[in-house]
Amino acid sequence: MMHSLLIALLLVLALNGDAKAQLASPEGETSRWLPVDSLITLELTQPDALLAPLLSDRTSHEAQQLRAYQVFAGSPKFEELQKMIHFVEGTIETDWRSGLMQLFGGSLAFGLGPNEQTTLVVDVQQAETLNRIHTIAQQVASGDARKAGQPDRVKSWGEGEITRWSFNTNDAHAIIGRRLVAANSKETLENALERSQQAVRQSLFSTPHYQAARKAIGPDALGMAFFNLEQLRENPEFAAALQGQQDNPLLALLLAGITGGLNTSPWAALGFYLSGDTFSVRTYLPEAQEPGATPLALSSPTGKAGSALALLNVPRQIASLSLYRDLHRFYAAKDELFPQRTSGLIFFENMMGIFFTGRDLTEDVLAQTEPDVRLVVAEQRYPSGHPAPDPQLPAFAAVLRLKDPAAFDEVMEEAWQKAIGLVNFTRGQQAEPGLIIDRPQYAGMTFTTTRFSFVGSEESDNRNIRYNFRPSLAMPEDYVILSSTDQLARDLIDALQKEAKDPQPSLETTHSALRLDGPQLGSILTENRASLIRGNMVKEGHTEAEAELAIDTLLTLANRVRAINVDIGGALNTYATGIRIQFEPFN
Amino acid sequence: LEKTAHLFRRTCFAATWPELIQALADGPQVTVDSLLSPTPQSIALDQRHDRFDEAVATGDSADALRSWWLRRMLETPFPLQEKMTLFWQGRFGIAADRVGNSLSLLRYQQALRRNALGDYRDLLKALLNEPALFVGLGAEQNRRAQPNPALARWLLQYATVGGDNHPAADVQELARSYTGWFVFKHQLRFIEREQDPGAKMLFGQEGSFTLSELVDLLVAQRATAEQLVYALYGELIADAPQPEPAFLAPLVDQFQQDPNIGALVSTMIRSNWFFAEDNLHRHVKSPVEFCIGTLRSLESIVPTVVLAEDLADMGQNLYAPPTLAGWPRAQHWITNVTLTQRQRWIRQLVDPEGPYAKHLALPDLAAQRKGDLAASAWLAALLHGHERLDAEPLPTKPAENLPQVLVQVLSVPEYQLA
């Protein structure tokens, strides 16, 4: 086992070279070796820039604080690993961090082709180092087989100047100067070598789609993942997953045109970027006209780029989401978009008809809403004098904007109170306590809130999950706040008043924006640590100690992420979409 | 080895290899003594699991309780207690959906576990103190003007004398006896004005019985002892055929004089007929016995959330028996559908991509037993209790194919029997 690990490590390290010789490969050179019909490829042109923060002293210090690391550091395997690293460091005459940096100092391309063929091309910076490490790896592989009483697995063969090697049954590789070409079969390796010798290379690099993707991600990208969607859609599982998302009305509304784009676009690409402590991934789909009504086109009243409102900010916020969605147009097209779901939607409409006193959901209710939908999730503070429920769930709320609040506020209020009444009636049938309605004043307005009573509750029931909920409705100015707690409703009233005094520009060309706050997420996870550990034990089959280790590692990582931002936008009326995710780790 | 494995299969789901070796060294008397008694480790584990159960019993779903009970079955050093708790849950089938409150359900389950091997009267009295029983039977309201017969029927038909061993009028008389008991907000309350104070005539005795007195009266009936002895015979000795009444009469006498469940179990598993050749492999494993037995033998703790779902697919959804009589038993466990599900579970058990395989550590287990037996023979001995299978020969290089050997060992028809 350790020998296999050592061989793998040596092979990886064999890809390194002399850091002083900064010989960058010509751009895209490694991807020229990948087959034209690759399904998924990863090309890293500046991998050292990605590795630098991961190998920094600060990251190393943070990693050593992880309980998982500390447990591993006390195990015999750690000692064995250290010995192996020292051995390799002695061989390459540098420390392991420098070794890894040198290893990824060049460029790298990996391709997954049809029939699970894989090809890896790595340009290192010094052929001599590569050959030396390769020799050691070869010796280790031979020794490993000898100790196991098996025939030598190391094989070599060749034509011309290129020697091919295999260290086990699913490995074939060759070293050409300072380039390592590896594949998971001899045939795949031969194809790659043959491709490299053609005058006009019929490789992935030469295709118009790959070139278009490279152009889209721009010159500042550190790397790119490319997805050949035309080929991937021929995979039944992939196609079924896409279709499943399109058939779900809520998911289709939330994701707008992304799944539609994946269904019709010939390719998709992810670009990787790094700026300071912020790591970004941008997703690109080529612009194209999607036939017929689409969730994206119908969620945009103008057919052009939507503009989501600025994200709301409340105390203890975990997540904030802002969407530009025309609910009226979207729902009006439901039969066209989701014919197979019509019966379920009719039931939904009937229920809404009860709440909204016979009004038509499409024309009398949803038509009253502006295409601005904002959602907020925040950690809760619980009323004093009572134990907090277990588990502790975050509060959540939706904020909608009305076209004519003077005419619709009471309609909303009536619908809300009917819904609460229905909940109470149903819970009463089950001998469960109901919600008590209250109408408190806050910030110059009256809003409606509810709560579960503690009166008559057994001590053992005082931490019941229901005490996470105090459903509330507030309608400040032309907004409607539907919140799971009164505190979040109050915080949102404050946030909207602040926004009215200091208007924030809407998010240009963005129809969906999400911000996740890492520390707050970490905080609520910490509050629920015991519950998470219990869940881990029965879901994963871990012992209590293993579960604690897994959850504590998760908590540490969550606390190291400051924020994750997702913005989806682009030119609408087509499904062209861009996703940008930004991490701010270890700050 | 075969009879030792038989003892563990019937009483503890199944044995691990160290347990088998220890039992062979200790002999049957010492082994049975140890199986019947809790240990400091088992008491500590129960306390720990009770805390877990209390923490997860917060909503109306039994899913978390289900997962934690399976986990307790896998981990407990006192498996007879869990086996008997399962027996009682199967016999007194209260469905979680009907109860609708996991805390209430947990209390009911704790009463079953606490009294699983104790005095039968204490068990029934404890259950009659649990709101879940009343809700589960549809007996939440017991008014003087309209006595509810649901609990009376359950007591007579399932818990004590049996369906044919009492006059029909007893149901009405019994129902009058517990008028005044109500369940409000999953709590049991007695409302005196709703109690029928008049005298009731039950089994030839007239009086105004309390719930406790009712239990004493019903358990004292010989028919109750017969019902329990036959039920435990089916669980511990053989599903079929039922023995002649005279054969079990001494046990019925014993139970009628001292309705101690543990003592009855002890007598049965120390008897010659428990170990008789004719009674080996005469009990069809329930899905829980099948899966928990396999996993306990393999010393494996697996994700029990998934296991609970798989057991439901095989026909045994814990906390959700299909009728008040519990789950179907004996040959009814095996149908085309459930047998297919058992085969699917076996394949899933060794599937490297599945939820279980990474928890099995088969090579490690086999390596620890090196020197005892060859790996394939070891697996056969462990899981079947004998060293030779009548089925197809095992692979010639089993050490390299332990998952395949395991599939083969588990798939033979006789592995469905305990």
Side-chain angles (χ1 to χ4, degrees), chain B residues 104 125 173 182 213 256 265 293 334 344 346:
Chain B
S104 189
K125 288 172 188 175
E173 290 294 283
F182 288 75
E213 288 166 346
Q256 196 178 9
V265 169
I334 304 294
R344 189 184 71 84
I346 293 169

Side-chain angles (χ1 to χ4, degrees), chain B residues 156-372:
Chain B
L156 290 168
Q157 188 170 344
Y158 299 112
T160 57
V161 296
D164 300 327
N165 295 313
H166 62 88
D170 282 357
V171 173
Q172 187 63 20
E173 290 294 283
L174 192 55
R176 287 178 58 216
S177 300
Y178 56 80
T179 47
W181 286 99
F182 288 75
V183 177
F184 297 111
K185 293 177 68 182
H186 300 288
Q187 292 179 42
L188 201 56
R189 277 177 58 191
F190 181 67
I191 300 176
E192 193 171 359
R193 64 181 154 74
E194 290 287 357
Q195 187 191 26
D196 180 345
K200 293 96 186 174
M201 178 64 77
L202 277 166
F203 294 97
Q205 291 190 33
E206 190 175 46
S208 183
F209 304 102
T210 64
L211 283 177
S212 177
E213 288 166 346
L214 278 176
V215 168
D216 290 340
L217 176 65
L218 290 170
V219 173
Q221 305 302 312
R222 186 167 179 82
T224 299
E226 286 171 352
Q227 292 290 319
L228 260 293
V229 168
Y230 273 96
L232 273 173
Y233 180 91
E235 180 71 12
L236 295 172
I237 313 285
D239 288 338
Q242 281 205 342
E244 292 298 318
F247 186 70
L248 293 182
L251 286 176
V252 174
D253 291 343
Q254 175 190 326
F255 193 75
Q256 196 178 9
Q257 285 165 19
D258 174 17
N260 187 293
I261 304 157
L264 183 61
V265 169
S266 173
T267 305
M268 281 190 176
I269 63 179
R270 290 178 202 274
S271 66
N272 289 333
W273 24 277
F274 178 82
F275 292 104
E277 287 290 334
D278 284 352
N279 287 328
L280 301 183
H281 302 291
R282 294 299 291 272
H283 171 74
V284 178
K285 288 178 184 170
S286 70
V288 170
E289 289 170 326
F290 176 75
C291 296
I292 296 292
T294 304
L295 293 166
R296 278 189 70 94
S297 289
L298 298 173
E299 300 174 46
S300 302
I301 305 294
V302 300
T304 46
V305 173
V306 184
L307 180 61
E309 292 165 2
D310 287 343
L311 285 168
D313 290 342
M314 291 180 226
Q316 195 168 22
N317 193 9
L318 292 179
Y319 290 100
T323 68
L324 289 178
W327 290 285
R329 294 188 65 254
Q331 74 274 18
H332 299 296
W333 282 124
I334 304 294
T335 65
N336 287 343
V337 174
T338 58
L339 201 56
T340 305
Q341 291 297 341
R342 289 189 185 207
Q343 287 298 324
R344 189 184 71 84
W345 187 79
I346 293 169
R347 288 194 302 275
Q348 212 181 10
L349 194 62
V350 296
D351 178 0
E353 304 297 319
Y356 301 115
K358 67 179 177 185
H359 300 278
L360 291 187
L362 271 178
D364 290 348
L365 272 179
Q368 287 168 19
R369 312 299 162 223
K370 198 173 178 181
D372 292 340

Side-chain angles (χ1 to χ4, degrees), chain A residues 308-322:
Chain A
L309 295 181
L311 291 165
L312 287 166
N313 281 301
V314 296
R316 302 174 300 282
Q317 180 172 290
I318 296 170
S320 183
L321 176 67
S322 179

Side-chain angles (χ1 to χ4, degrees), chain A residues 390-391 430-432 455-458 460-461 463-465 534 537-544, chain B residues 48 52 55-56 58-59 67-68 71 100-101 103 107 185-187 301-305 358-359:
Chain A
D390 183 18
Q430 298 163 347
E432 295 289 348
V455 175
S457 173
E458 265 190 293
S460 58
D461 195 38
R463 303 196 70 181
N464 192 292
I465 196 169
R534 287 193 300 269
M537 288 173 72
V538 288
K539 281 180 191 150
E540 303 297 329
H542 285 154
T543 63
E544 192 167 8
Chain B
R48 184 167 150 258
F52 287 135
V56 300
T58 57
S67 304
W68 278 105
R71 176 80 176 216
N101 181 284
L103 187 62
R107 299 278 180 256
K185 293 177 68 182
H186 300 288
Q187 292 179 42
I301 305 294
V302 300
T304 46
V305 173
K358 67 179 177 185
H359 300 278

Side-chain angles (χ1 to χ4, degrees), chain B residues 22-58:
Chain B
Q22 185 65 46
L24 285 171
D26 290 345
Q29 291 304 325
V30 173
T31 302
V32 169
D33 286 345
S34 68
L35 293 180
L36 284 164
S37 309
T39 62
Q41 290 81 9
S42 71
I43 292 167
L45 182 128
D46 271 341
Q47 288 171 346
R48 184 167 150 258
H49 271 266
D50 285 346
R51 286 198 300 275
F52 287 135
D53 281 344
E54 296 279 349
V56 300
T58 57

